[in-house]
Amino acid sequence: MGATIQITEEKLAKLYAVMDENKKKPGPLMPTLHEAQKIFGCVPLEVQKVISKELGESIAKINGVVTFYGQFSIEPKGKNIISVCLGTACYVRGSQGILDAFSDELKVKVGETSEDGMFTVEATRCIGACGLAPVFTVNETVYGNASVAKAKEVLKGIQ
Ligand code: FES
């Protein structure tokens, strides 16, 4: 469990406005989830319920989509998002060890957020930077030719 999420009236109003627009087009669910993720920073059950009612989709389906795609999350993400690529090129060059190092150092399981809401550690698929494998990202910054030592060094810089 990380930071708590606030579902304010203002944010809900935004979500309703987005759904009104999306309902005019075919396939309103995905664009609505994208916006919901942006508005709330995640798509928790309370938000899924609102979407379910408004778009007439079952919660089971919505929850399935949210948990399947990496760009959505049920819990709020941390202030810093660390993603380690586990695509083939990175994996064969030891990215699993880097992911484990982040997870150990921060005491956060992969896919979860630290208690203080500072860090989310996740694994991603290929991010298209295979030439730099192994690769990890911290927020918008990409670190290539990475190693466990480099991961620790970067982490020290942020902490
Ligand atoms: S496999 Fe990691 S960037 Fe492509």
Side-chain angles (χ1 to χ4, degrees):
M1 290 280 159
T4 47
I5 156 179
Q6 292 213 318
I7 302 180
T8 59
E9 289 295 319
E10 195 191 335
K11 287 180 182 174
L12 273 180
K14 258 194 210 169
L15 179 63
Y16 277 112
V18 161
M19 288 193 287
D20 277 346
E21 272 310 302
N22 288 340
K23 272 195 287 187
K24 295 176 192 157
K25 301 169 227 160
L29 183 58
M30 286 303 270
T32 298
L33 289 176
H34 273 287
E35 282 303 317
Q37 175 76 36
K38 266 199 232 159
I39 296 170
F40 300 99
C42 59
V43 194
L45 196 60
E46 299 94 294
V47 173
Q48 292 181 24
K49 280 184 191 159
V50 173
I51 297 173
S52 163
K53 209 166 166 202
E54 195 66 15
L55 298 185
E57 298 279 6
S58 70
I59 302 247
K61 178 173 174 186
I62 295 174
N63 196 54
V65 172
V66 170
T67 45
F68 182 77
Y69 292 98
Q71 67 260 49
F72 305 126
S73 58
I74 294 200
E75 285 185 11
K77 294 201 179 190
K79 197 158 171 260
N80 297 291
I81 299 177
I82 297 174
S83 302
V84 181
C85 177
L86 289 187
T88 311
C90 291
Y91 188 81
V92 298
R93 292 186 179 199
S95 61
Q96 181 70 55
I98 296 171
L99 181 60
D100 293 343
F102 278 124
S103 171
D104 288 352
E105 289 283 317
L106 294 167
K107 300 188 178 42
V108 177
K109 281 193 201 138
V110 176
E112 293 189 0
T113 300
S114 57
E115 281 293 332
D116 60 4
M118 285 299 285
F119 293 97
T120 297
V121 177
E122 24 178 67
T124 64
R125 295 179 196 169
C126 177
I127 59 164
C130 308
L132 300 173
V135 169
F136 67 84
T137 60
V138 179
N139 305 321
E140 305 295 308
T141 312
V142 178
Y143 295 89
N145 300 315
S147 60
V148 168
K150 189 158 179 176
K152 288 186 179 170
E153 192 187 305
V154 169
L155 207 49
K156 245 192 208 148
I158 318 172
Q159 276 174 321

